[in-house]
Amino acid sequence: MNPAGHARVYGRLAYPATLRGYSTAVVGRKGTRTPDKPVKIFELEFSGRGRAFNHVALTRKALEIKTRIFHIHSPELLPLAAVLKKLRAAKIVYDVHENYALNALTADGYRFRRPLALAVQSVENAFASVLDGVVLAEKAFLNLPFLARVKGPVVVCPNYFAPPTHEPSLSPEFIASLGDYLLYTGTLSEKWGTQSAIDAAKKMNAKIVVAGHSHDKRYVERLQRRADGANVVFFGGTQYVDYADIVALIRGCRAGFALYHPDPNLVQRRPTKFFEYAAFGKPLYYTDAWKNAGVYGVAVPFPSDDFSFPPPPPPLPPALENPYAHFDPVDELYQRLLNG
């Protein structure tokens, strides 16, 4: 289950919905900072409990909320969506911001990969007819098999840079005290290039800030051991890093890293960090498998097996523009469901 302050769930969907006049609430996992308004936040404590108890708590909270549209973000919530549709006579929208079955086959941290992938596909197929609409984060997801069974509209709302709606906890003075630094942000994962970024900073004899989260405590410990002897500052680890702090670190860095492994579940996507770094004109070292993906800003591509890492080029002026036009397809979907 996503944290309540998840950058897509809160920042790119719930918050812009309030700007369009919707009364919006987010139910999510504890672990991130979010402002009290304008989105109503319900945070659930999931640590130390089994998955079944977590689903009971989530079901109770969802049933308490009187709403006309439930916008869910995980395939394991599809059975709950069917319950809500029946008991609340609500519309159900399913947000696909990952190819979940492909993730199970290729991403880090999964066991029993093939059975899990088949289970995800089975759940999506079984509950596809329940859905009143689907929102996709990538056009590449338009070929997902379950979409053929969906009766409602399918729209694309790509990931984009949405400025945080609250101030960071990291002060400008603290950011300045970090000095000249390179930056890794996002999920801590070998396939997302966390270790490659640390190794690259070592080669460049540069300071690197690593700000991200992993559920795998052992992997975080391995990263810290790998960083021994290097000039590395960690934020997060097994704790979520507030998105406003991520953006503050991007604003203050010299350059960032996006050294993703070109795995099937990643190479079809345009990671959000391309837009985040471009928004502030910051150079970004990225794997050249994405060089034709329509990246923006000061992008520095490298072959995935040969990183030489020259000094980053100078930044561009910030290009902060109103991002919320990307929400238009979701707004149109909501209007169709509410007025249809």
Side-chain angles (χ1 to χ4, degrees), residues 195-334:
Q195 293 171 208
S196 297
I198 292 173
D199 293 345
K202 284 183 179 180
K203 290 180 182 178
M204 299 167 75
N205 196 27
K207 182 176 188 176
I208 182 171
V209 172
V210 177
H213 166 266
S214 172
H215 293 295
D216 188 344
K217 181 179 179 180
R218 289 178 296 180
Y219 179 72
V220 174
E221 291 171 347
R222 289 201 303 272
L223 277 180
Q224 292 169 339
R225 288 195 297 270
R226 193 182 190 99
D228 187 40
N231 194 354
V232 183
V233 178
F234 285 97
F235 291 95
T238 56
Q239 303 295 319
Y240 288 105
V241 182
D242 183 71
Y243 187 62
D245 289 337
I246 292 286
V247 171
L249 288 167
I250 292 173
R251 189 192 299 268
C253 77
R254 186 180 182 197
F257 289 107
L259 303 180
Y260 297 99
H261 292 209
D263 286 357
N265 69 312
L266 292 175
V267 76
Q268 62 177 303
R269 296 157 56 185
R270 289 197 295 175
T272 310
K273 68 176 61 179
F274 285 123
F275 305 101
E276 293 168 339
Y277 285 81
F280 296 97
K282 298 295 183 176
L284 184 68
Y285 294 101
Y286 73 95
T287 314
D288 68 350
W290 278 265
K291 65 184 178 182
N292 296 320
V295 296
Y296 303 96
V298 194
V300 186
F302 283 90
S304 59
D305 59 351
D306 180 24
F307 298 130
S308 53
F309 299 107
L316 294 174
L320 293 170
E321 56 186 39
N322 179 11
Y324 297 116
H326 296 277
F327 181 75
D328 287 349
V330 184
D331 190 5
E332 294 169 6
L333 171 61
Y334 287 172

Side-chain angles (χ1 to χ4, degrees), residues 11 21 46 57 69 71 88 113 123 135 141 145 165 190 192 213 222 243 248 277 296 300 316-317 331:
F46 273 20
I69 297 176
H71 193 141
R88 285 284 178 259
R113 291 179 177 277
V123 169
V135 179
F141 298 161
T165 58
E190 180 178 357
W192 284 47
H213 166 266
R222 289 201 303 272
Y243 187 62
Y277 285 81
Y296 303 96
V300 186
L316 294 174
D331 190 5

Side-chain angles (χ1 to χ4, degrees), residues 20 25 36 49 77-78 125 130 143 153 177-178 194 206 263 296 301 310 312:
R20 305 293 177 91
D36 295 333
R49 301 193 306 184
L77 298 181
L78 287 170
N125 283 327
V130 170
N143 62 358
S177 75
L178 293 172
T194 315
D263 286 357
Y296 303 96

Side-chain angles (χ1 to χ4, degrees), residues 72 75 78-79 81-82 85 92-94 120-134 144-154:
I72 65 169
L78 287 170
K85 186 178 181 74
I92 304 298
V93 174
Y94 179 35
V120 169
Q121 290 177 326
S122 297
V123 169
E124 288 181 331
N125 283 327
F127 291 94
S129 60
V130 170
L131 303 175
D132 298 288
V134 177
L144 289 172
F146 81 93
L147 293 176
R149 301 168 63 90
V150 175
K151 298 176 183 177
V154 177

